[in-house]
Amino acid sequence: DAGVTQSPTHLIKTRGQQVTLRCSPISGHKSVSWYQQVLGQGPQFIFQYYEKEERGRGNFPDRFSARQFPNYSSELNVNALLLGDSALYLCASSLQGQETQYFGPGTRLLVL
Amino acid sequence: AQSVTQLGSHVSVSEGALVLLRCNYSSSVPPYLFWYVQYPNQGLQLLLKYTTGATLVKGINGFEAEFKKSETSFHLTKPSAHMSDAAEYFCAVSRKGNQGGKLIFGQGTELSVKP
């Protein structure tokens, strides 16, 4: 079975631009969470979506938004990019009622 | 509030030596505890988890961890290090009953294995 997939793998943007990152969960998983991992740090929770509804949000500004589609895939959008948004963005999925999250390979975003 | 502290940002061991990576947590509610490994330029892979039951948890690749409530610790060990164990290791905590939601990670410990 395929694991969590994310696209693109790498992305370069300039300050002020907008970016959309995509995630496809493991088949059968209905919960998707997004994390930001800045170089040298642990991942920080951004959002959780379950059954297309936001179920949790971390301490991130409103420039960050996300949505989940009927097929349970998800997009993370970041507007008005700042240099500090440069990071590895990780998506994780989990089965309904399960605590274990399975992570994708991430999208590495560089903001110049 | 929950938090995780990993003692030592970098640990170096010789091949065949014991691996010990330390993790202490703070939680006002019963926690779920996890160890993840991250190889260079990759995502996170689950090594093991503690939810309920036996406090000594065995994971993949010969790793194990023991939940000690009195010490609020969940240290990761492996009896004999292999070169392929070189990676970044993250301890994480979530609330019991959490279903795919917020994981709180430590800062990570980079493990180096010397031949």
Side-chain angles (χ1 to χ4, degrees):
Chain A
D1 286 342
V4 177
T5 59
Q6 293 185 242
S7 64
T9 56
H10 295 81
L11 206 50
I12 300 175
K13 293 286 188 178
T14 57
R15 282 176 294 175
Q17 286 189 311
Q18 175 264 342
V19 69
T20 299
L21 311 180
R22 296 175 176 82
C23 171
S24 292
I26 293 171
S27 178
H29 288 196
K30 298 181 178 180
S31 174
V32 170
S33 292
W34 286 95
Y35 293 81
Q36 180 196 65
Q37 185 180 17
V38 174
L39 194 63
Q41 297 183 20
Q44 298 288 319
F45 173 76
I46 309 175
F47 287 111
Q48 182 200 9
Y49 274 76
Y50 177 71
E51 288 285 10
K52 301 180 288 294
E53 292 187 2
E54 181 181 308
R55 297 300 179 97
R57 184 183 183 114
N59 187 24
F60 280 81
D62 291 343
R63 299 185 296 107
F64 289 77
S65 64
R67 56 179 175 170
Q68 187 176 34
F69 298 97
N71 66 354
Y72 304 107
S73 67
S74 177
E75 288 183 350
L76 175 70
N77 296 282
V78 187
N79 294 321
L81 285 167
L82 303 174
L83 295 180
D85 295 330
S86 296
L88 180 67
Y89 288 85
L90 296 163
C91 173
S93 73
S94 62
L95 273 169
Q96 179 182 0
Q98 298 297 309
E99 70 286 340
T100 301
Q101 295 181 41
Y102 298 88
F103 284 80
T107 293
R108 190 164 297 280
L109 172 65
L110 177 61
V111 182
L112 301 176
Chain B
Q2 295 182 305
S3 66
V4 174
T5 301
Q6 291 184 239
L7 300 177
S9 59
H10 187 263
V11 170
S12 181
V13 301
S14 297
E15 192 172 19
L18 171 72
V19 176
L20 171 60
L21 304 183
R22 300 178 186 271
C23 171
N24 287 89
Y25 70 91
S26 172
S27 180
S28 57
V29 297
Y32 289 159
L33 294 160
F34 306 82
W35 276 98
Y36 283 87
V37 62
Q38 186 176 35
Y39 297 99
N41 300 313
Q42 295 187 25
L44 302 176
Q45 180 183 6
L46 180 68
L47 278 177
L48 49 79
K49 64 181 180 183
Y50 168 79
T51 54
T52 58
T55 56
L56 181 61
V57 179
K58 296 187 183 299
I60 62 172
N61 301 337
F63 285 95
E64 62 182 37
E66 186 171 10
F67 171 59
K68 292 186 177 181
K69 184 178 179 180
S70 61
E71 299 177 7
T72 60
S73 69
F74 191 57
H75 301 331
L76 181 71
T77 60
K78 182 175 180 178
S80 177
H82 192 272
M83 296 296 290
S84 62
D85 294 328
E88 187 92 22
Y89 292 80
F90 292 96
C91 181
V93 64
S94 70
R95 298 168 61 91
K96 185 161 285 188
N98 184 53
Q99 297 179 7
K102 183 178 182 178
L103 282 172
I104 297 171
F105 286 87
Q107 292 286 85
T109 297
E110 182 181 0
L111 176 66
S112 299
V113 182
K114 299 175 291 186

